């Protein structure tokens, strides 16, 4: 089959709130170019969907002098009767005629009445979801020979995969279609064959264990409720709601830089632990490092491994000038005889006095600078009781109706109930109206030229006004944004106080333990990939790793159990399994002959490791060797990890480094699309072709998807 081109590949990544899409693979992979909200609006007919909210708007148009403005702002030609046949009253009645016109316009910022087809990753409205995919396809307008790669959610079933395969082949006539798991896409992005992927989304979190580019479906954490970004917003609303905060305020607080998740065990500002660290005696802190006065407050510098504090040489706060003088007194012994015989005694004394005066002046200037107004200390966010952020409130502006001439149609009635429009001067009805052209025919061309120029200016003004309106709609500036500063206390540190991290850590532990290959578990613990827009909150990743360490991490030296009970002259045995007590014949006490049953076998083996002569079991014949691969063979810590590490993000994608790797699944889809569609070209059965779809049907996608 003909190879696919990079610029023809279409990638779609649906999400609960935002769907990412991109047509074509750039030379250097970049974040998604198209970001569309995962929502649609019901149309006029049942089963029809619109991508934006359609609003009905009534525009009042005034008909002046029996004329009417067209779309481009010019006046339509009208038939004029005799000048004397219309009275002044009739002319005024003609000016007062009005018409109402109904106009439909799109509101891209409104979500009123929106339908979200994905909830917790699951497809809950198929008609809406397929309409969304159609809208994305039409927006990008790919060519006919376009392969499509769709990133699937972990909770999608086999039947969902078949339905989507049938839709893409039947609706868009695509020549090739690929379904890729989001967890596997993250592995492609980081270049890892074995990893544990924690994807924190809007309403849920997914935990996936991938070993050798194979997704382990057994024990996989699917759509873990209460662990997404929405749970953090709900917790903030629970804490700040009684203070008058709205959900939008809590959402913007969560996205601000002052909302932070502190590691486990870190005291909150204003707590008793934090107050105990406040310096109450600056002099003691400068000399000894103590935070206050009294017994038990001093922290010696020797215990901290630092230089002693205080004035003098080799101290942290010693004066340099004093140190120099002391050094001269110790090392520099003046040769008085040489100075006297040289005949330059007065010059030498003058130089010494000058140096002494300069040192005194410098010390005085330093003292004055120190005694001046101290600069305010800027504490970090984690140590502030309160902090502020800018809240952007969007207030919808109702556009005022305008008349045909572009002027505001407001203030129709004055305070007294009368019409406040500017009234025209009543015209005389008895004499016939005589135009200026009849009086001075030579002025008629000039008047026509002036009218044409005014009409042209009016057209340009209307065009500029329409262009500004379209620009506002395109950039989402259809609402009046008001910024105000909000102050929040320590509630900003408690967005995960509802147990989100504990539930997520438990799911990670269960997912890793469900992997059949025990030898891969340690590698899974050392290759954590944390992504998803829900993990953008400051300190989330560090707090999650700290929770895992506190709950499941064991020390690497745990194999040397009971080492605290060993004498100091005995060496610590290594955790190689060589000192593990072997099964004894029936009737023989544990640890060998002569050893009582009350003796701990591990302690006995540890104490006799450095002196084999003390181990009576060493005289016994060697135990029977177990066959290779037996379950009794010791491999590693399969139940609990000895180290937990987060994988390092790739550094060879500069655009992704600036945007962040929270959406790294899309980056992995770009890498996979390049490999599967361009390099591999279907040799490894990574995608389904049109011919294979005709032969196998939608169910064939299970054998060819990634």
């Amino acid at each position: 089959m003909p190879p696919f081109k990079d610029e023809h590949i279409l990638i779609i990544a649906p999400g609960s709130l935002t769907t990412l899409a991109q047509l074509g693979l750039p030379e250097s992979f970049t974040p998604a170019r198209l970001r569309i909200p995962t929502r649609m609006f019901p149309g006029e007919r049942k089963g029809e969907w619109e991508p934006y909210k359609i609003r009905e708007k009534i525009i009042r148009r005034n008909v002046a002098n029996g004329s009417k403005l067209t779309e481009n702002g010019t006046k339509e030609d009208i038939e004029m009767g005799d000048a004397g046949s219309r009275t002044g009253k009739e002319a005024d009645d003609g000016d007062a005629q009005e018409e109402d016109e109904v106009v439909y316009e799109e509101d891209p910022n409104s979500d009123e009445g929106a339908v979200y087809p994905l909830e917790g990753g699951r497809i809950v409205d198929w008609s809406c979801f397929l309409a969304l995919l159609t809208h994305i396809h039409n927006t990008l307008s790919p060519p006919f020979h376009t392969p499509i790669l769709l990133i699937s959610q972990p909770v999608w079933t086999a039947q969902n995969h078949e339905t989507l395969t049938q839709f893409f082949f039947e609706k868009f006539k695509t020549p090739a279609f690929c379904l890729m798991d989001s967890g596997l896409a993250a592995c492609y992005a980081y270049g890892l064959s074995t990893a544990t992927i924690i994807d924190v989304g809007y309403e849920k979190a997914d935990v996936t264990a991938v070993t050798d580019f194979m997704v382990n479906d057994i024990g996989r954490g699917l759509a873990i409720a209460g662990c997404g970004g929405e749970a953090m917003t709900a917790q903030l609303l629970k804490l700040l709601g009684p203070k008058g905060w709205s959900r939008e305020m809590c959402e913007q607080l969560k996205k601000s830089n002052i909302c932070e998740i502190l590691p486990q065990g870190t005291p909150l500002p204003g707590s008793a632990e934090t107050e105990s660290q406040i310096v109450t005696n600056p002099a003691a802190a400068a000399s000894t490092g103590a935070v206050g006065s009294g017994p038990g407050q001093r922290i010696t510098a020797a215990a901290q491994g630092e230089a002693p504090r205080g004035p003098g040489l080799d101290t942290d706060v010693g004066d340099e000038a004093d140190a120099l003088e002391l050094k001269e007194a110790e090392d520099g012994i003046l040769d008085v005889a040489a100075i006297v015989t040289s005949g330059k005694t007065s010059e030498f004394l003058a130089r010494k006095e000058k140096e002494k005066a300069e040192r005194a002046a410098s010390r005085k200037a330093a003292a004055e600078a120190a005694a001046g107004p101290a600069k305010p200390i800027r504490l970090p966010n984690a140590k502030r009781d309160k902090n502020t952020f800018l809240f952007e409130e969007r207030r919808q502006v109702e556009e005022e109706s305008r008349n045909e001439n572009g002027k505001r149609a407001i203030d129709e009635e004055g305070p007294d109930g009368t019409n406040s429009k500017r009234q025209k001067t009543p015209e005389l009805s008895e004499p016939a109206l005589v135009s200026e052209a009849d009086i001075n025919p030579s002025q008629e061309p000039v008047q026509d030229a002036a009218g044409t120029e005014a009409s042209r200016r009016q057209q340009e003004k209307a065009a500029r006004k329409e262009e500004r309106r379209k620009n506002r709609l395109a950039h989402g500036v259809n609402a009046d944004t008001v910024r105000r500063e909000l102050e929040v206390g320590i509630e900003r540190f408690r967005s995960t106080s509802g147990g989100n991290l504990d539930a997520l850590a438990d799911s990670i532990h269960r997912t890793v333990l469900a992997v059949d290959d025990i030898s891969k578990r340690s590698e899974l613990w050392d290759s954590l990939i944390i992504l998803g827009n829900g993990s953008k909150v400051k300190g989330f990743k560090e707090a999650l790793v700290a929770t895992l360490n506190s709950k499941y991490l064991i020390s690497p030296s745990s194999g040397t159990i009971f080492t605290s009970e060993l004498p100091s002259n005995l060496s610590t045995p290594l955790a190689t399994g060589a000192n593990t007590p072997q099964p004894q014949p029936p009737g023989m006490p544990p640890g060998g002959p002569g050893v009582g049953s009350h003796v701990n076998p591990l302690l006995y083996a540890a104490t006799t490791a450095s002196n084999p002569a003390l181990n009576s079991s060493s005289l016994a014949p060697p135990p029977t060797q177990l066959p290779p691969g037996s379950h009794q063979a010791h491999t590693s810590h399969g139940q609990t990890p000895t180290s937990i590490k987060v994988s390092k993000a790739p550094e060879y994608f500069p655009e992704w480094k600036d945007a962040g790797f929270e959406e790294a699944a899309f980056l992995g889809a770009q890498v996979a699309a390049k490999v599967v569609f361009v390099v591999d070209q279907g040799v490894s059965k990574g995608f389904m072709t049109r011919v294979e779809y005709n032969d196998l049907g939608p169910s064939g996608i299970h054998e060819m998807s990634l």
Side-chain angles (χ1 to χ4, degrees):
M1 61 177 301
F4 298 106
K5 296 182 179 180
D6 291 353
E7 57 269 19
H8 292 168
I9 298 175
L10 175 61
I11 302 175
I12 303 176
S16 297
L17 280 184
T18 306
T19 297
L20 310 179
Q22 180 171 323
L23 177 61
L25 298 178
E27 184 176 353
S28 178
F29 295 149
T30 60
R33 297 173 181 174
L34 181 64
R35 303 175 63 91
I36 296 180
T38 310
R39 68 189 183 194
M40 296 293 284
F41 296 86
E44 294 183 359
R45 301 177 183 176
K46 185 177 181 181
E48 293 183 354
W49 300 91
E50 298 290 342
Y52 303 109
K53 177 67 177 179
I54 305 299
R55 295 189 180 274
E56 182 179 298
K57 182 179 178 182
I58 299 178
I59 298 180
R60 179 172 298 175
R61 299 182 181 275
N62 296 334
V63 180
N65 296 327
S67 63
K68 182 179 180 181
L69 289 179
T70 59
E71 290 291 334
N72 55 7
T74 60
K75 291 185 177 180
E76 295 180 352
D77 295 335
I78 58 175
E79 296 181 0
M80 299 292 294
D82 295 336
S85 63
R86 297 181 64 209
T87 62
K89 185 176 183 305
E90 291 175 351
D92 289 313
D93 294 341
D95 293 340
Q97 294 180 3
E98 296 179 351
E99 291 184 359
D100 291 341
E101 182 177 353
V102 179
V103 178
Y104 296 94
E105 62 180 13
E106 296 178 348
D107 188 359
N109 298 315
S110 175
D111 58 353
E112 179 184 353
V115 177
Y116 291 85
L118 295 181
E119 292 182 4
R122 297 179 176 86
I123 304 175
V124 295
D125 194 323
W126 275 99
S127 176
C128 180
F129 184 61
L130 298 181
L132 174 67
L133 296 177
T134 304
H135 169 62
I136 294 173
H137 190 273
N138 296 338
T139 301
L140 295 175
S141 185
F144 182 75
H145 195 66
T146 298
I148 300 177
L149 188 148
L150 180 68
I151 299 180
S152 65
Q153 293 289 332
V155 294
W156 289 358
T157 62
Q159 185 178 0
N160 297 153
H161 293 172
E162 295 177 7
T163 303
L164 291 171
T165 302
Q166 181 179 1
F167 172 77
F168 277 97
F169 275 110
E170 299 293 341
K171 178 71 174 179
F172 305 130
K173 310 298 181 184
T174 178
F177 178 67
C178 174
L179 265 176
M180 187 175 190
D181 190 274
S182 60
L184 184 60
C187 289
Y188 272 79
Y190 278 74
L192 300 174
S193 61
T194 301
T196 303
I197 297 90
I198 302 100
D199 188 354
V200 184
Y202 173 61
E203 296 175 328
K204 49 84 180 178
D206 298 313
V207 181
T208 306
V210 178
T211 56
D212 297 330
F213 292 110
M214 297 295 294
V215 177
N216 294 270
D217 293 326
I218 300 177
R220 189 177 186 181
L222 300 178
I224 308 169
C227 295
E230 177 63 19
M232 303 182 200
T233 305
Q235 182 64 22
L236 290 175
L237 183 60
K238 180 181 178 181
L239 298 173
L240 297 172
K243 298 182 180 181
W245 285 57
S246 63
R247 186 192 176 282
E248 182 63 24
M249 293 179 180
C250 296
E251 180 69 19
Q252 294 191 24
L253 171 62
K254 183 189 69 176
K255 296 179 180 179
S256 66
N257 57 353
I258 69 170
C259 182
E260 186 176 355
I261 302 176
L262 301 179
Q264 191 174 14
T266 304
L268 295 177
S271 60
E273 294 85 351
T274 309
E275 292 176 356
S276 63
Q277 299 176 2
I278 299 177
V279 176
T280 58
N281 191 337
S287 59
T288 63
V291 296
S293 303
Q297 293 286 342
R298 182 180 180 182
I299 304 176
T300 60
Q304 298 177 347
E306 302 174 355
R309 305 184 181 187
L313 288 174
D314 301 329
T315 59
D316 288 346
V317 293
D319 194 347
E320 295 182 0
D322 295 340
L324 289 176
E325 291 181 358
L326 183 59
K327 187 174 181 181
E328 287 182 0
E330 292 179 352
D331 300 335
I333 301 176
L334 299 179
D335 191 352
V336 180
I339 296 174
V340 173
T341 55
S342 64
K344 299 180 180 180
T345 306
S346 58
E347 297 178 3
F348 178 78
L349 294 177
R351 181 168 57 85
K352 285 294 183 181
E353 290 294 335
K354 184 179 179 181
E355 292 176 358
K356 187 175 181 181
E358 290 176 355
R359 288 197 298 268
S362 62
R363 287 197 297 269
K364 183 178 180 181
E368 292 177 355
K375 295 183 179 180
I377 301 176
R378 187 175 182 85
L379 296 176
N381 178 57
K383 295 184 178 180
R384 291 187 178 186
D385 294 346
K386 296 182 179 180
N387 209 341
T388 58
F389 76 102
L390 287 179
F391 169 65
E392 295 185 357
E393 185 179 6
R394 307 183 66 183
R395 298 177 181 174
Q396 192 70 25
V397 178
E398 296 293 338
E399 297 186 5
E400 300 165 345
S401 59
R402 299 173 182 268
N403 56 20
E404 276 305 324
N405 296 325
K407 297 181 179 179
R408 295 185 180 181
I410 58 176
D411 298 335
E412 293 291 337
E413 295 184 356
D416 54 352
T418 60
N419 195 332
S420 61
K421 286 186 177 180
R422 181 178 297 177
Q423 302 292 335
K424 294 179 63 178
T425 304
E427 299 180 0
L428 299 176
S429 56
E430 294 181 358
L433 296 176
V434 181
S435 63
E436 189 177 353
D438 296 335
I439 301 174
N440 189 5
S442 61
Q443 297 295 329
E444 186 175 0
V446 178
Q447 199 172 36
D448 293 343
T452 305
E453 180 66 21
S455 177
R456 185 184 63 81
R457 287 198 301 267
Q458 193 170 10
Q459 293 180 24
E460 294 178 354
K461 183 178 180 181
R464 289 195 301 268
K465 189 183 303 181
E466 181 66 18
E467 184 178 359
R468 287 195 299 268
R469 188 186 70 84
K470 291 182 178 180
N471 290 337
R472 288 197 302 269
L473 292 177
H475 293 83
V477 194
N478 193 29
D480 186 19
T481 302
V482 180
R483 291 186 177 184
R484 55 194 178 108
E485 202 173 61
L486 296 180
E487 187 179 52
V488 61
I490 60 174
E491 293 88 357
R492 66 187 188 275
F493 302 117
R494 301 175 59 188
S495 58
T496 58
S497 58
N500 316 37
L501 296 178
D502 292 333
L504 189 56
D506 294 341
S507 179
I508 296 172
H509 186 251
R510 289 194 301 268
T511 301
V512 175
L513 289 184
V515 177
D516 294 334
D517 192 352
I518 301 178
S519 61
K520 292 290 184 179
R521 294 179 183 176
S522 60
E523 188 175 355
L524 290 171
W525 283 113
D526 290 338
S527 304
L528 299 182
I529 299 177
I530 305 175
L531 69 159
N533 289 325
S535 63
K536 279 187 175 181
V537 181
K538 186 178 180 181
F540 179 85
K541 299 178 182 179
E542 294 79 4
L544 179 58
V545 175
T547 304
L548 289 171
N549 288 333
S550 63
K551 296 187 68 173
Y552 304 111
L553 185 67
I554 63 173
S555 173
S557 61
S558 60
T560 59
I561 195 170
F562 304 115
T563 54
S564 61
E565 304 176 18
L566 299 179
S568 59
N569 59 345
L570 294 180
S571 61
T572 303
L574 299 177
T576 58
N579 298 323
T580 304
Q582 303 297 332
Q584 301 296 334
M588 183 176 294
V595 181
S597 59
H598 61 279
V599 179
N600 192 308
L602 291 178
L603 181 59
Y604 179 77
T607 54
T608 58
S610 59
N611 192 354
L614 298 178
N615 190 353
S616 57
S617 62
S618 62
L619 304 176
T624 305
Q625 297 294 330
L626 297 175
S630 175
H631 292 287
Q632 283 77 12
H634 176 74
T635 56
S636 63
H637 291 277
Q639 303 297 325
T640 51
T642 57
S643 64
I644 299 176
K645 301 177 183 177
V646 178
S647 300
K648 187 178 180 181
E651 299 180 352
Y652 35 83
F653 298 109
E655 292 83 0
W656 280 94
K657 288 177 64 177
D658 298 336
F661 287 89
E662 284 77 15
E663 297 174 350
F666 194 85
L667 171 61
Q670 293 175 325
V671 176
K674 179 75 172 181
V675 173
V676 173
F677 289 126
V678 180
V679 179
D680 186 67
Q681 297 185 10
V683 176
S684 61
K685 298 295 182 181
F687 61 89
M688 191 177 190
T689 63
R690 181 76 187 182
V691 177
E692 293 169 339
Y693 174 77
N694 294 334
D695 294 340
L696 302 176
S699 60
I701 193 66
H702 305 307
E703 302 176 2
M704 302 173 186
S705 60
L706 294 177

